């Protein structure tokens, strides 16, 4: 009974979405307030019905209703309750429902937090969101109904959740990632609304900025969680594989980062407008591309659930309509924009433009590396794969260039920066960074050019960011007062850039100075990894809730003193007949020691993987700091006060141009 | 020059430079890092290049896995049921590696016709089959019009 209600709720939500995509837009175009007034109630209704469907599916999981095909395929009565809960999005249909729940959630959020915006703008934005919702509701109802029943032959038990997905990282990774992916639809909706009514101005940029930033922050956390999960759960200590599915999440992140920065320029200086709109469209299209790649079955990976071609073509169609429709609108409407302000060839605008060029180039490279093999395969021109080295050789120089530019750009001014002044300004920070990077590299060992470049870039970004903070916070009333005077969006930028520096430092050091060894060990043996000695004490059996395991015991010793004790496992899940390696990690701020059990070689000997991973935590900590920066930035007062008063806006822009305090750029 | 034109020129120059660097890096990196896929029939027929990094895949032949007890060396045969290729690998195999399962290996073919793998990938879960392997199996079973049991094996393992 309940599952059918869930299905009805979804269909009702679809009908509301259809109304939402037509009625308020018609109201906005004809100037009828009565029609525009429908926007908010429709958005709320859509969210309520989707939430109901989601609750019903969750209920089916909790009560083990195996007559629902999706539950039977992804759960089992022996599964602990929290995994039953997260199994709701452990497969294709449920994760799509989660995606839609978030999409309607974002729509509702726009409806709630846009009270101060002109009502035509709100109606148009919500209508565009409604159109996106229609696409996804049709997708789930037509191709991937999570409420399909297995009647009358109800299985007595489910097939279990893929053991890889039975993990805390996976409870939160997809929701975060989807919040990001889906969140970019708001920036997209704002961009389309601006194109429809021809209002591409600073006010528009200010409205869509916080939405972009918050989506970007969620996406950052989502990607970092995925990387963290791969590191400890896939069992072999890698943190980024340039797997097409990872790339699918990196693509909107890269173009989203470009979008955040170009939105900043559009808001502050009123330039780059058409470019910003284009980026908003591209970023959302890349989110859809990601969904298509992961869900269509063109890729095979952990994320590609049993998939069928019908879904692929449906998503491709959705992507095609979005891209063609929005680009056509762009082509007709964008050129209307007039640029009023000017900027010199050495100015913050130029630095941010370069930042955009680099980020877009990186997006293109990752896209080429990801799509090229797929296109060739589709055209039947042979099967090939593009390996990690491709991405490493092309991506690293771009990342380093972007970092060097970032540090320099921080000191630049809007409109015009004097070259000689900038040069003198950079001298000391450069010297400090150079000395610091030499010291860091010496500490880690051999000199490697790429390692040096990466470490230098990370330190340079840090030094420049802090130097600028020091300069800005000087005040006659004391340093503390100066620090307090900085806006939240400025602090957001500082944290964002420090986070980037941490990720760069982590990535560089762990890939250049990490040690990975596969060794044959019998209990009693020990192996060295870096300065650490790993002692294999014993291995025995252990029983878990829904698995049995071989349970190893290892001591980690440094200079003969015991640092920690690790218990990696090799688990056997009888329901799905699958084997899982659970690594154990002694985690630290500056290094991880990683031990995983491989296969049994002989009666007493085992293949053991031991790893020393310096600064690997910085990858995820840095990402978290970046995301916190994003959340802090949107808490800035100016997004809440007077969003409407255009005259005040202009006066404010005027103040900024005088350049007294050139504040946050991102 | 007119300042607006000058600015536009700078922007265009930056864009062109960025694009040129990107294209250069891409072609350079692509040339080095494209790994072509060969199935066991092609390798056995000598159609695969020697000492070039390639991908090979098929099913692990039943009873072919030989493990050295003193080191991490493993030898096994990969088959598409019409030809098989010996594979050598030193290291830890993935969890789901087993006889009768589909695998994809990266590595180089040596002069003796042995595929020296530096990476072995197995399926992610019990329902998954590397698409290259599924294709290779389908091809070989079509070519030979093999007995029904082989077809069935390919069918049950392909999605």
């Amino acid at each position: 009974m309940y599952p059918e209600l869930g299905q009805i709720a979804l269909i009702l939500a679809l009908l509301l979405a259809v109304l939402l995509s037509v009625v308020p837009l018609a109201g906005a175009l004809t100037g009828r307030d009565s029609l525009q007034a429908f926007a908010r109630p429709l958005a709320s209704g859509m969210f309520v019905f989707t939430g109901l469907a989601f609750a019903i599916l969750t209920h089916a999981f909790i009560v083990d209703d195996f007559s629902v095909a999706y539950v039977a395929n992804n759960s089992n009565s022996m599964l602990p309750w929290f995994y039953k809960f997260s199994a709701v999005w452990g497969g294709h249909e449920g994760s799509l429902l989660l995606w839609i729940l978030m999409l309607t959630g974002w729509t509702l959020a726009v409806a709630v937090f846009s009270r101060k915006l002109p009502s035509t703008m709100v109606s148009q934005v919500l209508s565009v969101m409604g159109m996106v919702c229609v696409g996804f509701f049709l997708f789930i109802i037509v191709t991937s109904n999570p409420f399909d029943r297995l009647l009358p032959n109800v299985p007595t038990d489910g097939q279990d959740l893929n053991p890889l997905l039975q993990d805390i990282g996976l409870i939160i990774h997809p929701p975060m990632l989807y919040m990001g992916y889906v969140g970019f639809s708001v920036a997209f909706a704002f961009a389309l609304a601006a194109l429809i009514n021809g209002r591409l101005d600073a006010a528009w940029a200010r409205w869509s900025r916080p939405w972009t930033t918050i989506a970007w922050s969620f996406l950052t956390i989502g990607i970092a969680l995925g990387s963290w999960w791969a590191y400890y759960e896939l069992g072999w200590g890698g943190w980024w594989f340039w797997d097409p599915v990872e790339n699918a999440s990196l693509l909107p992140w890269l173009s989203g980062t470009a979008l955040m920065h170009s939105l900043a320029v559009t808001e502050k200086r009123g330039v780059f407008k058409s470019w910003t709109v284009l980026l908003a469209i591209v970023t959302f299209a890349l989110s859809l591309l990601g969904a298509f790649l992961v869900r269509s079955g063109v890729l095979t990976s952990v994320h590609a659930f049993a998939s069928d071609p019908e879904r692929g073509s449906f998503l491709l169609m959705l992507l095609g309509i979005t891209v063609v429709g929005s680009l056509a609108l762009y082509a007709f409407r964008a050129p209307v924009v007039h640029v009023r302000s000017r900027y010199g060839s050495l100015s913050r605008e130029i630095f941010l433009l370069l930042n955009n060029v680099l980020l877009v180039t990186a997006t293109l490279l990752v896209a080429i590396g990801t799509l090229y093999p797929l296109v060739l395969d589709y055209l039947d021109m042979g099967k090939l794969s593009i390996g990690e080295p491709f991405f490493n050789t092309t991506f690293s120089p771009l990342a380093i260039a972007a970092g060097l530019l970032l540090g320099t750009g921080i000191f630049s001014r809007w409109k015009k920066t004097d070259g000689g002044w900038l040069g003198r300004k950079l001298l000391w920070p450069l010297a400090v960074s150079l000395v610091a990077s030499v010291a860091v590299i010496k500490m880690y060992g051999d000199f490697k050019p790429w390692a040096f470049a990466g470490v230098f870039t990370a330190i340079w970004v840090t030094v420049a960011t802090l130097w600028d903070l020091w300069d800005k916070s000087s005040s006659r009333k004391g340093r503390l007062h100066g620090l307090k005077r900085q806006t939240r969006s400025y602090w957001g930028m500082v944290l964002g850039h420090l986070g980037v520096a941490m990720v760069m430092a982590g990535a560089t050091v762990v890939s250049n100075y990490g040690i990975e060894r596969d060794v044959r060990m019998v209990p009693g043996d020990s192996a060295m990894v870096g300065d650490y000695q790993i002692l294999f004490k014993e291995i025995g059996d252990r029983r878990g809730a829904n698995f049995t395991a071989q349970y190893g015991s290892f001591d980690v010793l440094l200079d003969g003193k015991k640092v920690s004790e690790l218990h990696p496992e090799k688990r056997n899940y009888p329901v799905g007949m699958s084997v899982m390696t659970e690594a154990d990690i002694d985690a630290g701020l500056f290094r991880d020691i990683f031990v995983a059990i491989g296969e049994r070689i002989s009666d007493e000997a085992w293949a053991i993987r031991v790893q020393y991973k310096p600064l690997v935590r910085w990858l995820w900590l840095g990402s978290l700091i970046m995301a916190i920066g994003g959340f802090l930035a949107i808490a800035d007062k100016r997004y809440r006060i007077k969003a409407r008063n255009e005259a005040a806006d202009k006066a404010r822009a005027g103040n900024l141009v005088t350049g007294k305090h050139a504040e946050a750029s991102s | 020059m007119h300042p607006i034109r000058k600015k536009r020129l700078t922007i265009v120059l930056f864009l062109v430079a960025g694009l040129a660097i990107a294209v250069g890096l891409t072609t350079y990196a692509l040339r080095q890092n494209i790994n072509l896929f060969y199935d066991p029939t092609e390798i056995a027929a000598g159609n695969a290049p020697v000492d070039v990094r390639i991908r090979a895949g098929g099913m692990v032949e039943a009873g072919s896995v030989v493990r050295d007890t003193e080191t991490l060396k493993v030898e096994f045969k990969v088959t598409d049921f019409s030809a098989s290729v010996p594979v050598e690998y030193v290291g830890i195999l993935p969890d789901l590696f087993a006889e009768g399962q589909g695998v994809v290996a990266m590595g180089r073919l040596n002069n003796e016709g042995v595929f020296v793998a530096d990476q072995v990938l197995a399926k992610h879960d019990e329902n998954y089959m590397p698409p290259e392997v599924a294709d290779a199996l389908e091809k070989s079973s079509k070519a030979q019009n093999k007995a029904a049991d082989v077809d069935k094996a390919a069918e049950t393992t392909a999605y």
Side-chain angles (χ1 to χ4, degrees):
Chain A
M1 177 67 201
Y2 281 126
E4 281 67 31
L5 279 181
Q7 174 131 29
I8 291 169
L10 275 183
I11 293 170
L12 285 175
L14 166 68
L15 295 178
L16 292 178
V18 172
L19 288 177
L20 178 63
S21 55
V22 178
V23 176
L25 186 62
L29 293 179
T30 57
R32 283 212 216 127
D33 288 343
S34 55
L35 293 183
Q36 294 178 29
F38 277 107
R40 287 195 172 95
L42 284 173
S44 324
M46 205 169 67
F47 176 76
V48 168
F49 281 112
T50 316
L52 188 64
F54 191 83
I56 288 171
L57 188 63
T58 312
H59 175 259
F61 268 93
I62 301 292
V63 302
D64 291 327
D65 184 355
F66 296 121
S67 71
V68 177
Y70 178 71
V71 179
N73 288 332
N74 290 286
S75 184
N76 182 276
S77 53
M78 273 161 31
L79 208 60
W81 72 267
F82 42 91
Y83 291 141
K84 277 183 186 163
F85 179 61
S86 72
V88 174
W89 53 85
H92 167 77
E93 289 87 349
S95 62
L96 188 61
L97 185 56
L98 178 69
W99 172 292
I100 293 175
L101 179 69
M102 285 174 169
L103 189 56
T104 53
W106 278 105
T107 312
L108 182 66
V110 174
V112 169
F113 294 109
S114 60
R115 301 239 174 250
K116 292 192 181 115
L117 264 58
S119 73
T120 47
M121 187 78 181
V122 178
S123 314
Q124 284 162 345
V125 170
L126 288 177
S127 276
V128 176
M129 297 288 292
M131 292 176 203
V132 177
C133 291
V134 169
F136 278 98
F137 277 121
L138 280 177
F139 183 45
I140 196 169
I141 293 171
V142 175
T143 73
S144 340
N145 180 10
F147 298 107
D148 269 350
R149 294 267 211 171
L150 291 172
L151 292 173
N153 298 318
V154 176
T156 46
D157 208 340
Q159 291 171 7
D160 209 2
L161 179 65
N162 183 344
L164 274 175
L165 309 185
Q166 297 183 20
D167 180 80
I168 172 76
L170 215 91
I171 296 181
I172 40 183
H173 161 66
M176 289 292 156
L177 204 59
Y178 290 1
M179 281 295 274
Y181 272 145
V182 174
F184 283 130
S185 66
V186 182
F188 170 78
F190 269 96
L192 284 206
L195 283 176
I196 292 172
N197 63 19
R199 270 196 64 169
L200 279 174
D201 49 18
W204 160 75
R206 178 146 83 265
W207 295 329
S208 56
R209 238 181 120 179
W211 297 103
T212 310
T213 309
I214 197 166
W216 176 90
S217 301
F218 278 117
L219 188 60
T220 309
I221 295 181
I223 295 175
L225 278 172
S227 153
W228 178 56
W229 171 78
Y231 170 72
Y232 71 80
E233 185 71 15
L234 288 183
W236 306 119
W239 48 271
W240 192 262
F241 301 91
W242 294 109
D243 174 283
V245 173
E246 290 171 327
N247 295 348
S249 66
L250 190 63
L251 286 172
W253 188 86
L254 288 169
S255 68
T257 313
L259 174 62
M260 273 199 317
H261 289 88
S262 94
L263 267 174
V265 185
T266 307
E267 188 203 348
K268 298 276 182 201
R269 303 280 305 130
V271 289
F272 299 179
K273 289 171 187 168
S274 328
W275 173 244
T276 306
V277 171
L278 191 61
L279 270 180
I281 294 172
V282 166
T283 304
F284 182 61
L286 287 173
S287 297
L288 288 184
L289 179 73
F292 165 70
L293 286 180
V294 178
R295 288 303 139 81
S296 61
V298 292
L299 296 178
T300 38
S301 83
V302 211
H303 303 73
F305 309 116
S307 38
D308 67 61
E310 191 194 348
R311 288 175 191 160
S313 26
F314 197 105
L315 273 174
L316 203 57
M317 205 173 69
L318 213 60
L319 180 64
I321 293 173
T322 313
V323 171
V324 173
S326 49
L327 288 186
L329 189 62
Y330 179 78
F332 282 114
R333 305 291 299 208
V336 194
V337 187
H338 301 285
V339 175
R340 267 161 291 152
S341 35
R342 296 197 178 153
Y343 49 93
S345 49
L346 188 65
S347 62
R348 183 165 276 200
E349 287 91 327
I350 288 292
F351 277 105
L352 285 165
L353 180 68
L354 281 175
N355 143 303
N356 266 252
V357 170
L358 287 174
L359 283 167
V360 169
T361 313
T363 314
L364 276 175
L365 279 173
V366 176
I368 290 172
T370 312
L371 298 177
Y372 185 59
L374 297 174
V375 172
L376 278 195
D377 187 25
Y378 181 75
L379 299 175
D380 224 6
M381 286 167 67
K383 287 194 186 298
L384 54 86
S385 70
I386 292 179
E388 281 181 41
F390 166 77
F391 294 103
N392 291 338
T393 40
T394 53
F395 196 78
S396 317
L398 286 173
I400 286 171
L404 294 176
L405 206 65
L406 196 172
T408 316
I410 285 175
F411 294 111
S412 67
R413 297 278 163 84
W414 294 109
K415 279 187 94 174
K416 189 158 174 49
T417 312
D418 181 51
W421 174 85
L422 189 62
R424 283 190 299 279
K425 188 84 200 160
L426 292 179
L427 213 56
W428 274 107
L430 265 178
V432 171
S433 317
L434 206 60
V435 172
S437 358
V438 170
V440 169
I441 292 289
K442 256 201 137 54
M443 198 172 71
Y444 278 108
D446 318 340
F447 176 85
K448 299 177 190 170
W450 279 114
F452 182 78
V455 167
F456 174 78
T457 310
I459 294 179
W460 166 237
V461 171
T462 313
V463 169
T465 304
L466 295 178
W467 204 283
D468 184 57
L469 179 62
W470 185 259
D471 282 354
K472 290 228 166 77
S473 63
S474 70
S475 156
R476 240 173 283 147
K477 291 184 196 160
R479 182 67 56 185
L480 198 66
H481 179 262
L483 284 174
K484 271 190 197 151
R485 212 183 47 194
Q486 301 306 317
T487 59
R488 284 195 191 144
S489 67
Y490 179 75
W491 281 110
M493 176 185 90
V494 168
L495 285 187
H497 289 163
L498 290 179
V500 169
M502 276 185 87
V503 173
M504 277 193 164
T508 310
V509 170
V510 77
S511 12
N512 284 286
Y513 298 106
I515 303 168
E516 307 180 355
R517 291 186 66 197
D518 291 351
V519 283
R520 174 189 179 278
M521 291 177 101
V522 289
D525 276 0
S526 65
M528 293 297 290
V529 53
D531 296 333
Y532 293 85
Q533 185 191 359
I534 315 290
L535 177 66
F536 185 10
K537 286 200 304 199
E538 57 178 350
I539 188 158
D541 291 330
R542 188 174 88 90
R543 198 161 247 298
N546 50 352
F547 62 86
T548 57
Q550 261 124 11
Y551 182 78
S553 295
F554 293 78
D555 277 352
V556 180
L557 300 111
L558 181 63
D559 303 327
K561 259 190 262 165
K562 183 163 153 184
V563 182
S564 63
E565 198 177 311
L566 297 178
H567 299 285
E569 296 181 328
K570 197 145 194 94
R571 287 186 187 171
N572 204 328
Y573 290 82
V575 180
M577 297 215 308
S578 45
V579 180
M580 273 287 310
T581 299
E582 291 280 331
D584 201 9
I585 299 164
D586 176 28
L589 186 56
F590 293 101
R591 60 102 191 93
D592 273 16
I593 300 293
F594 178 109
V595 180
I597 303 175
E599 64 264 42
R600 192 174 207 148
I601 299 175
S602 63
D603 281 347
E604 69 267 29
W606 291 77
I608 306 290
R609 173 162 294 187
V610 289
Q611 297 186 338
Y612 163 72
K613 295 260 173 198
L615 297 197
V616 69
R617 298 274 137 187
W618 288 34
L619 288 165
W620 311 305
L621 268 178
S623 310
L624 190 64
I625 289 175
M626 266 193 253
I628 292 174
F631 289 123
L632 204 59
I634 63 149
D636 198 291
K637 284 189 208 108
R638 76 195 144 112
Y639 293 127
R640 273 169 289 140
I641 309 172
K642 54 135 188 166
R644 197 170 192 168
N645 196 332
E646 290 238 52
D649 282 349
K650 290 225 174 87
R652 192 165 181 287
N655 283 338
L656 273 175
V657 174
T658 55
K660 255 288 165 70
H661 72 304
E663 57 170 320
S665 73
S666 73
Chain B
M1 214 191 291
H2 194 278
I4 290 185
R5 277 196 210 125
K6 194 176 159 191
K7 192 176 68 193
R8 283 200 188 133
L9 189 67
T10 354
I11 295 173
V12 168
L13 281 181
F14 274 135
L15 283 173
V16 169
L19 214 62
I21 293 170
V23 170
L25 281 172
T26 319
T27 38
Y28 169 78
L30 269 180
R31 200 175 303 157
Q32 295 196 319
N33 294 303
I34 285 184
N35 313 114
L36 290 163
F37 178 85
Y38 293 89
D39 59 40
T41 311
E42 287 171 318
I43 295 174
N47 292 337
V50 171
D51 206 30
V52 172
R53 195 150 186 267
I54 57 170
R55 273 149 68 89
M59 311 296 275
V60 181
E61 201 170 287
S64 73
V65 179
V66 179
R67 199 181 289 282
D68 185 352
T69 54
E70 294 310 308
T71 64
L72 296 181
K73 191 166 146 185
V74 189
E75 291 169 331
F76 55 90
K77 286 196 172 118
V78 165
T79 178
D80 58 4
F81 301 110
S82 64
S84 67
V85 174
V87 179
E88 223 181 80
Y89 175 70
V90 178
I92 295 180
L93 289 165
D95 286 336
L96 296 157
F97 177 92
E99 290 181 358
Q101 297 287 10
V103 289
V104 171
M106 296 274 275
R108 290 159 198 274
L109 204 59
N110 70 10
N111 288 320
E112 286 86 56
V114 176
F115 188 82
V116 183
D118 51 53
Q119 194 183 12
V120 175
L121 307 167
K123 53 180 199 153
H124 280 292
D125 68 56
E126 67 272 22
N127 303 318
Y128 165 70
M129 164 86 130
E132 292 100 332
V133 176
D135 275 6
L137 290 183
E138 201 182 307
K139 232 165 66 188
S140 82
S141 70
K142 260 187 205 149
Q144 300 203 338
N145 205 2
K146 260 237 174 176
D149 55 349
V150 176
D151 276 339
K152 206 180 155 211
E155 242 166 54
T156 48
T157 42
Y159 313 94

